[in-house]
């Protein structure tokens, strides 16, 4: 007969230790061992007891798409993949104060119009929640409000037929299970509470949205344990000093990942921004050196963003590199390519790079725009205002083609741009559907020729 025995498993590397220790000697992580009961298998392995037969089915079946519920906030619905799926678990994570509770309160009010919606807060008192609802002009909405932190109470309350259609838990870090020793917010509490709530949601068929705070290191507290358990992970990001907020799907079992929704925080809550391009293009008079407009793709949508660079003589032995909204390793690579292949040495200079509007870009297609901004900043010559730029840069300085060129050009044309600097497509001549002037380049070397202002147009400084 199997014998129950406990062992200590490292939560970082899964190494098993017979005794508890403060540090895992396999991976070196501190305080990562947790007791787990294991059951020794018999010498014969699993064969001692037969399991049930599993039925196999074909890939082609007549299952219907899962039913979805609309939040009435189209940016939110799109990021979810077309609305909230019944029985699904969503994790909404973000820095404290970014607007998670505000977004969910607004969504809850809409969900409540055609389904029973429950908002359970472990962070704020009812009076505070009501105050927010009043501020958002939603105090008439039919949302069932409660403050609770004990998962046992929540499960007992919601464990009945038609108890709820949508349940919002704000936040998972404040929830606790009374059968676990550790304090609320610890990994085991967060994982245990989430597991219970998700299990209940699947059984009763309601959608559950869990709010999760992000720790300083950028992980959702509890080494990303929750990300595996839920169907959808949404990040709410933005600078608190900016009023723009970006909702990003980083995982979605019911829709495309990497979709973004853009919001603007106002004194009346979050407003949708349906044309984000206008937001990420800064409005300055005349031409400014160091600014390049990148035609990017975020999720399914093309978005134009201004990339700004500044170079200045450095007073430091190790010049400063400050990057906002873009990967600093990638910036170093582009600077190295500019140096090695084009002879543009930025090494002794301080370099600042900023993506306007608080957007974070991860597309390599922005390489060429970043390089253009740097070249423009260094030469103090502006890039023509009506120009958009995109293309990936390889280590030899070649410009590689990127995806969805037509969508990028269409968006740029819609916003009044007239010229595009794009990678040369060798294989098939891409049909230029737009009326824009395309300047195709195949090597970074060609970049400076393009950036030099035409003689008829003097720079803003002139
Ligand atoms: P909140 O939703 O409480 O953030 P989170 O739940 O992510 O911690 O929102 C916090 C900020 O939003 C707070 O600083 C005030 C601001 N805010 C507005 O600017 N306008 C509004 O209408 C509301 C409700 C909040
Ligand atoms: Mg909150």
């Amino acid at each position: 007969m199997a014998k129950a025995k406990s062992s200590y498993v490292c939560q970082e590397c899964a190494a098993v230790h017979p005794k508890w220790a403060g540090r895992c000697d396999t991976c070196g992580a501190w305080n990562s061992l947790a007791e787990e009961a294991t059951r020794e298998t018999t010498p014969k392995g699993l064969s001692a007891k037969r399991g049930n037969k599993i039925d196999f089915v074909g890939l082609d079946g007549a299952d219907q798409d899962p039913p979805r519920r609309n939040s009435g906030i189209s940016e939110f619905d799109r990021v979810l993949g077309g609305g909230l799926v019944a029985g699904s678990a969503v994790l909404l994570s973000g820095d404290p104060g970014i607007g998670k509770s505000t977004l969910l309160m607004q969504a809850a009010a809409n969900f409540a119009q055609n389904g029973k919606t429950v908002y359970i807060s472990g962070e704020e008192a009812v009076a505070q929640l009501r105050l927010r609802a009043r501020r958002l002009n939603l105090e008439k909405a039919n949302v069932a409000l409660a403050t609770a932190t004990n998962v046992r109470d929540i499960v007992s309350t919601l464990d009945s037929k038609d108890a709820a259609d949508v349940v919002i838990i704000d936040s998972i870090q404040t929830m606790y299970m009374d059968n676990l020793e550790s304090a609320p917010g610890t990994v085991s509490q967060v994982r245990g509470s989430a597991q219970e709530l998700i299990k209940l949601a699947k059984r009763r068929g309601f959608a559950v949205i869990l709010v999760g705070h992000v720790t300083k290191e950028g992980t959702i507290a509890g080494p990303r344990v929750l990300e595996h358990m839920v169907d959808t992970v949404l990040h709410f990001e933005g600078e608190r000093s900016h009023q723009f907020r970006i909702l990003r799907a980083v995982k979605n079992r019911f829709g495309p990942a990497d979709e973004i929704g853009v919001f603007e925080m106002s004194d009346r809550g979050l407003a949708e921004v349906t044309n984000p391009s206008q937001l990420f293009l800064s409005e300055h008079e005349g031409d400014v050196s160091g600014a390049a407009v990148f035609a990017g793709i975020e999720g399914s949508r093309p978005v134009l963003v201004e990339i700004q660079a500044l170079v200045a003589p450095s007073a430091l032995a190790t010049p400063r590199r400050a990057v906002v909204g873009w990967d600093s390793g990638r910036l170093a690579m582009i600077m190295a390519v500019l140096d090695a292949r084009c002879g543009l040495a930025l090494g002794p200079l301080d370099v600042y790079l900023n993506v306007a509007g608080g957007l974070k870009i991860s597309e390599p297609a922005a390489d060429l725009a970043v390089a253009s901004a740097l070249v423009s900043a260094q030469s103090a010559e502006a890039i023509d205002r009506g120009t958009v730029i995109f293309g990936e840069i390889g280590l030899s300085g070649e410009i590689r083609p990127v995806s969805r060129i037509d969508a990028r050009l269409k968006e740029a044309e819609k916003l009044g741009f007239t010229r595009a600097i794009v990678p040369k497509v060798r294989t098939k001549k891409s049909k230029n559907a737009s009326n824009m002037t395309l300047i195709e380049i195949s090597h970074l070397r060609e970049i400076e020729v393009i950036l030099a202002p035409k003689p008829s147009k003097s720079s803003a400084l002139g």
Side-chain angles (χ1 to χ4, degrees), residues 436-457:
M436 296 176 70
T437 314
L438 293 195
I439 299 164
E440 296 186 316
I441 66 173
S442 56
H443 195 278
L444 195 53
R445 223 181 286 117
E446 301 158 48
I447 198 170
E448 286 179 77
V449 188
I450 292 160
L451 296 186
K454 281 164 260 152
S456 57
K457 268 210 163 183

Side-chain angles (χ1 to χ4, degrees), residues 176-232:
Y176 77 98
M177 307 243 291
D178 51 20
N179 56 336
L180 296 178
E181 296 266 305
S182 43
T186 55
V187 178
S188 47
Q189 284 286 9
V190 167
R191 182 167 44 190
S193 307
Q195 225 154 26
E196 283 304 315
L197 292 164
I198 293 168
K199 223 162 57 191
L200 181 70
K202 304 269 171 209
R203 195 168 75 231
R204 291 295 177 188
F206 60 76
V208 61
I209 304 178
L210 308 171
V211 172
H213 291 297
V214 176
T215 58
K216 270 196 231 76
E217 298 81 42
T219 54
I220 300 164
R224 312 195 84 119
V225 278
L226 294 181
E227 297 204 357
H228 308 290
M229 292 162 47
V230 297
D231 300 305
T232 303

Side-chain angles (χ1 to χ4, degrees), residues 97 99-102 119 123-124 132 170 211 213:
K100 301 182 291 299
S101 305
T102 306
Y119 190 113
E123 302 204 329
E124 290 161 295
R132 177 179 293 126
D170 188 2
V211 172
H213 291 297

